[in-house]
Amino acid sequence: MNFIVHADVFAKLPTVCFGVVVAKNLDNRTIRPAVADLLHGSIAATEQRFNNSRAREDAGILPYREAFTQLGMNPNKFMSSIEAMASRIEKKKGFPQINPVVDLGNAVSLKYLVPLGAHDTDSAAGDIQVRFSQAGDRFIPFGELAAELLEAGELIYSVGDRVKTRRWIWRQSEEGKVTEDSRNVFFPLDGFSDSNQAAVIAARDELATLLERHFGCEVATGFVDRGQPAMEF
C-alpha cells in the first residue's frame, strides 16, 4: 500500500507536507489509563493556552485557515480538525474519550497543535491518496449510512473513489474509522514546510514512540512533501 499526494495538490499548496505514522498489530480493546492521562493533560494545556485568546487567531492555526481560503473554502464555516478541537476546548465544551488509539492521536494533535488523522487500513482496498475530487466520489459521514456524492475539485483523502476526509482535513468518513477492533492504522499529520514542519515531525516521532510504549505494536514513520510525493508502507 502507498500514500500518494498528487502533483496538483502541491501546485495549489506548494509548502504542504505530511508526517506519517503506521501502526501494525495493535490491541485497541484494552483500557489504557496512561493514554487517558495523556489526553487529559493535553486538554488541560490547551485550556490554559486559550484561556485569554482565541484558537482561530493562534499562529499555529493561521496557516490552515490561510490554506483553506486558498482552496476556496471559508475557514469560518469549514474549520480544520485541529482548529475545531482547540475551539471546542477554548469554549469549555468538554472533549470526549473515544478509544485508546484515537485518544492518543488527539492527545498528540492537541499538544503540537497539528491536524492528525487516523485511518483503519484493513478497510482500504488500495492506495491512500491526497487529491482533488472527481464528480461521483463517495463520502459517508460519521454515524450515517447514505453516501454523499461529491462534485469535482474538492481536496480530499481517498482510497479509490471512497472519500476518507472531505475538504482536506475538515471531516472524516465513516469508512475506515478507527474502532476498538482496529489493528492496523495509518496516521497522517498535515502541515507546512515554511511554518510548522518541525512541529509535524516532533508530533510524528512522539506518536510513534507512544504507540510502541503503550500498545507494543510495530511502528513505521515517513515524510511526504513536494520533493518526495509518495511513500510505500
Side-chain angles (χ1 to χ4, degrees):
M1 184 178 288
N2 298 287
F3 175 50
I4 301 168
V5 181
H6 287 211
D8 53 356
V9 177
F10 293 111
K12 192 72 173 179
L13 299 174
T15 66
V16 71
C17 63
F18 305 83
V20 175
V21 178
V22 180
K24 299 180 181 180
N25 300 317
L26 57 79
D27 167 21
N28 200 28
R29 284 191 165 274
T30 300
I31 296 173
R32 303 183 189 278
V35 170
D37 289 344
L38 288 170
L39 178 60
H40 294 152
S42 288
I43 292 169
T46 303
E47 288 179 344
Q48 180 64 32
R49 178 171 184 162
F50 297 115
N51 189 43
N52 295 304
S53 64
R54 302 184 67 184
R56 62 179 293 177
E57 298 170 351
D58 189 272
I61 298 292
L62 287 175
Y64 299 98
R65 293 181 61 84
E66 292 165 1
F68 271 45
T69 299
Q70 190 171 347
L71 292 166
M73 301 183 294
N74 182 345
N76 296 320
K77 183 177 180 181
F78 304 109
M79 289 188 290
S80 65
S81 60
I82 186 57
E83 182 179 348
M85 291 167 63
S87 295
R88 175 173 179 161
I89 294 169
E90 170 204 328
K91 295 173 183 177
K92 307 295 193 295
K93 291 186 176 181
F95 197 84
Q97 287 183 239
I98 299 172
N99 59 58
V101 164
V102 173
D103 293 346
L104 180 61
N106 286 340
V108 174
S109 180
L110 287 168
K111 178 177 179 178
Y112 290 93
L113 215 64
V114 298
L116 195 163
H119 304 276
D120 186 320
T121 59
D122 290 329
S123 64
D127 295 332
I128 297 175
Q129 303 179 60
V130 179
R131 62 176 176 83
F132 288 100
S133 62
Q134 301 174 355
D137 284 336
R138 299 165 55 84
F139 175 81
I140 301 177
F142 265 162
E144 299 186 21
L145 298 175
E148 301 172 352
L149 297 182
L150 274 62
E151 298 180 353
E154 181 181 321
L155 186 57
I156 59 173
Y157 274 80
S158 75
V159 174
D161 68 348
R162 302 301 177 98
V163 179
K164 301 185 78 63
T165 67
R166 284 202 66 178
R167 295 183 172 88
W168 184 22
I169 45 176
W170 170 63
R171 181 169 293 174
Q172 194 164 320
S173 171
E174 180 73 19
E175 294 186 89
K177 73 177 181 182
V178 173
T179 70
E180 290 81 359
D181 295 324
S182 297
R183 293 185 53 79
N184 301 292
V185 180
F186 168 83
F187 303 87
L189 300 91
D190 308 70
F192 305 93
S193 60
D194 60 345
S195 60
N196 67 347
Q197 178 174 317
V200 167
I201 292 174
R204 178 200 66 182
D205 293 347
E206 182 161 340
L207 177 62
T209 297
L210 292 171
L211 284 164
E212 290 178 332
R213 179 183 304 162
H214 296 292
F215 293 86
C217 56
E218 304 170 45
V219 177
T221 63
F223 185 77
V224 167
D225 62 4
R226 192 170 192 170
Q228 183 177 325
M231 63 170 284
E232 184 178 1
F233 65 91

